[in-house]
Amino acid sequence: MSDAHQHDRPVAGGDHRLLGGALALILAFMVGEVTVGLVAGSLALLSDAAHMLTDAAALILALVAMRLAARPPHGGYTYGLRRAEILSAQANGLALLILSVVLAVEAVRHLIAPPRVAGGLVLVTALVGVLVNLGATVLIGRANRNNLNIRGAFAHIVTDLYAFLATAAAGLVIVLTGYRRADAIATLVVAALMVRAGVGLLRASGRILLEAAPAGIDPEQVGAALAGVPGVKEVHDLHVWQIGSDSTALSAHVLVNRGGDCHDTRRALERLLRDAYGIEHTTLQVDHADGGVLQIGLRRPPH
């Protein structure tokens, strides 16, 4: 006997508006920042602008992925395009890592031969950038951050916020002391933050693509809990994986004691999975145990 649940499609209209508002803020400021960065001769400002470009790309990618993920199953795509958001998160992570390497190389060059930098322009522009990123952070922070796709876009924006704070600090140092290498040091800080965010996104999205169990769910513990349900003799062929960042699935073969009701047992198992672990997409094959079945897997512990 088996059972599967049809998932409701994601309702993301509000998230679309929030991400769209953040995108408009970032694009408007990025154009001005590139201009000021060129005039001021600041690598830190240009690196922030480059990071804002990846922010914009991440938000556009997130919006497209949300549209794709909301499409219902069709043809051979029996889960729909739910994992488009995971591919988007991976692209965001890779973009952060690649850009961090480029910026780090440039920063080292500027450390060796620091150019003239207009510290006042750097400071003022960075402070405005902090305000813009705070606005974008508030908007995206109100969206569903259980979604890895949105979490990836949020990581971009938060990293950029910290980067602007570092750039503002560099501008202040240049104004007060004339130490031009502060600009390159701020760029290295930005690169380090980008590496941290990029690695986190790649790790999280990689777990989903490799169909690992969600973080925080131990399959052995879940199996033991299922085997402890009254009437269950054995649980094996247990698999737990994620369809998307906010959708967990489970399948298992369950053997019940002779004379037990397979339907009642299945419903009890589904209740346990839903209430204790938040797993609603389940496929449970429930059969009666008999002497001819190979007894392997997780057994109900003796009382």
Side-chain angles (χ1 to χ4, degrees), residues 92-104:
N92 284 336
L94 283 171
L96 283 169
L97 291 181
I98 292 169
L99 190 55
S100 69
V101 172
V102 174
L103 293 177

Side-chain angles (χ1 to χ4, degrees), residues 102-230:
V102 174
L103 293 177
V105 170
E106 279 300 306
V108 170
R109 288 177 55 196
H110 282 222
L111 277 174
I112 296 170
R116 289 188 175 276
V117 178
L121 276 176
V122 172
L123 176 59
V124 172
T125 306
L127 290 176
V128 175
V130 168
L131 294 176
V132 169
N133 272 266
L134 278 174
T137 300
V138 169
L139 286 172
I140 300 179
R142 290 166 56 195
N144 174 24
R145 281 194 287 132
N146 288 326
N147 183 299
L148 186 60
N149 182 39
I150 293 176
R151 203 158 74 214
F154 187 77
H156 270 269
I157 303 300
V158 171
T159 302
D160 213 21
L161 175 59
Y162 293 148
F164 273 115
L165 290 171
T167 302
L172 183 60
V173 168
I174 294 169
V175 169
L176 295 178
T177 69
Y179 185 63
R180 292 181 293 174
R181 286 186 173 87
D183 187 69
I185 293 170
T187 303
L188 288 174
V189 172
V190 174
L193 291 170
M194 293 169 80
V195 169
R196 182 175 179 272
V199 169
L201 282 174
L202 289 177
R203 184 184 293 120
S205 58
R207 283 184 63 87
I208 295 176
L209 291 178
L210 293 173
E211 298 195 339
I217 293 184
D218 181 354
E220 289 190 10
Q221 195 270 336
V222 173
L226 294 176
V229 170

Side-chain angles (χ1 to χ4, degrees), residues 224-233 257 299-303:
L226 294 176
V229 170
V232 174
K233 183 176 181 64
N257 295 321
R299 299 173 179 274
R300 185 179 181 186
H303 295 287

